[in-house]
Amino acid sequence: MRTERWLLPEGVTELLPPRARQIERLRRAILDTCFAWGYELVEPPLVEYLESLLTGMGREIDIQTFKLVDQHNGRSMGIRADITPQVARIDAHRLNRGLPTRLCYLGPVLHARGDDFGVNRNPLQFGAELYGHSGAASDVEIIELMLSTLRLAGLSDVYLDLGHVGIYRALAAAGGLSTAQTGELFALLQRKSGPEVAAYLNTLTLPPPVRRLLERLVVLNGAGEVLAEARALAADHFPDVTAALNYLQRIGGTLDERWPGLTVHYDLAEFRAYEYQSGLAFAAYRRGYGQEIARGGRYDDLGRAFGAARPATGFSADLLLLSASGQATAAPGEERIFAPEPPGGEAAEGLREAIASLRSKGRCVVCALPGQAGDAGAMGCSHALLMRDGAWQVVAL
């Protein structure tokens, strides 16, 4: 029986040409956009000690993290499953500027098991974070930057889901739920299972206003009328919930003005990163495609463990998923110029100069090797460098 040693682990992918080139083109375009918005690039390490890597993160990130032992000192390390906490550490501990700080990143992560966010276990995660400002202006900026990067990937049929972690937190506190009860009910709400939520609420002793609003959270998703219904249920009982609803309305209204044609949905039970998010939560979806393509939100307390509980908002996405979902990442027929083997005498020097000149202008030149098999067409070249009228000229094939 043949042993196929080249098989990759389940859920792990590799990039071949020309897809690797397409990914690189999109990577450059996204980073250039972030630079244009004032975001500075950081590159955290792929591996860190667990106490740093998992600081402030919940159980989900813990079980997604591959663990290993540092052979130098025996300490436990992890391969990052999410870059967001690393960037929070850099802002709080390494930079510690005390001013609004905009950071972006793009690099590989590794998941111990698959999840809903991507089909691959080795996503190429990119994102942007804005530290040091609390309020709608920074949240809107992050969302607009996310939408701009999605456009670069050719995703024009995008709609946005907005939610707010503060709504559930306020209701859980008002109902006197324990940490365990809060977690159990949160899991049921994420499944959008009305009967399960109702059955669980029956096991709890809750004030009627809390019970009513918690039970309605499952179905409170849709257009602006969702906010109106929730506001009516919260009136005179939950000022924190009302404040969160007003904040959502403000964010949605601003996006309606600045992004005509963008569909904004409100989902009051959608907050996947509940364990460390602290306010606005959002996710971008493509029409007809059930999986989210980008997500983010506010996480003001994540930096506390690193010595600076700075206001923070950001988003992240998987570049591999975006490139597979988009329509503008496929490269047009790229020009590849096939250069012949150098002739003898002065012509060889002229050929070398012509090749160097073309490459200095960013054009691709593939040089023939002595005795190689395959002509220009077989090498995937669209043009050839030929001697015409006493000069080396690029000629279309």
Side-chain angles (χ1 to χ4, degrees):
M1 184 176 67
R2 185 178 64 175
T3 300
E4 296 184 344
R5 298 180 180 178
W6 56 86
L7 289 180
L8 294 172
E10 183 178 354
V12 175
T13 62
E14 61 188 355
L15 299 176
L16 304 177
R19 180 154 160 73
R21 179 73 177 98
Q22 296 167 5
I23 295 291
E24 175 62 15
R25 179 180 290 103
L26 181 57
R27 184 191 73 84
R28 294 180 187 182
I30 285 176
L31 289 180
D32 284 344
T33 297
C34 290
F35 298 157
W37 284 55
Y39 286 74
E40 301 173 277
L41 180 65
V42 292
E43 296 186 3
L46 183 63
V47 178
E48 286 196 44
Y49 291 120
L50 284 179
E51 57 264 33
S52 172
L53 193 63
L54 300 181
T55 294
M57 307 304 291
R59 179 174 175 273
E60 180 181 353
I61 295 299
D62 186 10
I63 62 178
Q64 283 283 29
T65 301
F66 276 97
K67 279 90 171 180
L68 60 156
V69 175
D70 189 343
Q71 298 301 312
H72 284 284
N73 54 29
R75 294 177 64 184
S76 296
M77 299 193 302
I79 301 173
R80 66 187 181 197
D82 186 357
I83 301 179
T84 300
Q86 294 183 297
V87 181
R89 172 183 56 77
I90 288 174
D91 171 72
H93 181 62
R94 299 298 299 277
L95 297 179
N96 195 21
R97 291 174 174 170
L99 299 170
T101 301
R102 294 171 170 86
L103 301 177
C104 63
Y105 59 86
L106 202 160
V109 297
L110 185 63
H111 292 168
R113 60 185 188 179
D115 64 8
D116 294 336
F117 192 50
V119 295
N120 298 325
R121 290 200 295 158
N122 60 330
L124 189 56
Q125 184 181 347
F126 83 90
E129 319 291 336
L130 201 167
Y131 299 94
H133 182 272
S134 179
S138 48
D139 282 332
V140 169
E141 178 176 316
I142 279 291
I143 293 174
E144 289 195 278
L145 178 56
M146 179 188 72
L147 294 173
S148 297
T149 61
L150 296 181
R151 281 188 174 179
L152 288 175
L155 293 162
S156 57
D157 53 346
V158 169
Y159 68 90
L160 189 68
D161 262 11
L162 295 179
H164 199 295
V165 174
I167 294 173
Y168 181 64
R169 290 189 189 279
L171 291 175
L177 300 185
S178 67
T179 301
Q181 291 170 333
T182 299
E184 288 183 51
L185 181 55
F186 168 77
L188 296 176
L189 288 169
Q190 295 308 286
R191 294 205 294 267
K192 298 291 194 295
S193 175
E196 287 185 278
V197 169
Y200 186 75
L201 291 176
N202 285 335
T203 68
L204 306 175
T205 302
L206 297 171
V210 176
R211 164 67 188 261
R212 283 194 298 270
L213 194 43
L214 282 173
E215 197 167 23
R216 290 295 295 168
L217 282 185
V218 178
V219 296
L220 285 175
N221 56 80
E225 62 270 11
V226 166
L227 301 182
E229 180 181 348
R231 192 179 286 109
L233 289 170
D236 303 325
H237 299 290
F238 312 108
D240 289 345
V241 172
T242 300
L245 294 170
N246 292 339
Y247 192 83
L248 284 175
Q249 187 170 33
R250 181 180 176 186
I251 297 292
T254 301
L255 292 172
D256 285 340
E257 294 175 3
R258 299 184 183 180
W259 290 76
L262 174 68
T263 299
V264 177
H265 290 166
Y266 300 93
D267 190 338
L268 304 190
E270 182 64 38
F271 24 79
R272 295 194 178 184
Y274 169 78
E275 292 171 304
Y276 69 87
Q277 283 185 337
S278 59
L280 179 72
F282 55 85
Y285 293 84
R286 183 184 180 190
R287 296 187 186 281
Y289 189 75
Q291 186 179 13
E292 64 189 33
I293 54 177
R295 66 182 176 211
R298 181 162 288 279
Y299 52 98
D300 291 345
D301 295 325
L302 186 55
R304 185 183 304 278
F306 302 113
R310 300 237 291 162
T313 183
F315 78 93
S316 65
D318 176 9
L319 195 64
L320 303 182
L321 178 62
L322 286 193
S323 68
S325 304
Q327 302 170 352
T329 58
E334 288 189 341
E335 177 191 74
R336 289 166 59 90
I337 305 167
F338 190 76
E341 291 184 54
E346 295 181 0
E349 181 64 27
L351 176 60
R352 284 192 290 269
E353 290 178 356
I355 292 172
S357 176
L358 289 167
R359 286 174 171 168
S360 70
K361 297 173 183 175
R363 302 177 75 176
C364 173
V365 181
V366 180
C367 292
L369 298 172
Q372 77 162 70
D375 58 9
M379 296 293 291
C381 294
S382 57
H383 295 71
L385 190 58
L386 304 175
M387 176 63 73
R388 296 284 175 88
D389 300 325
W392 291 103
Q393 298 182 26
V394 177
V395 178
L397 298 177

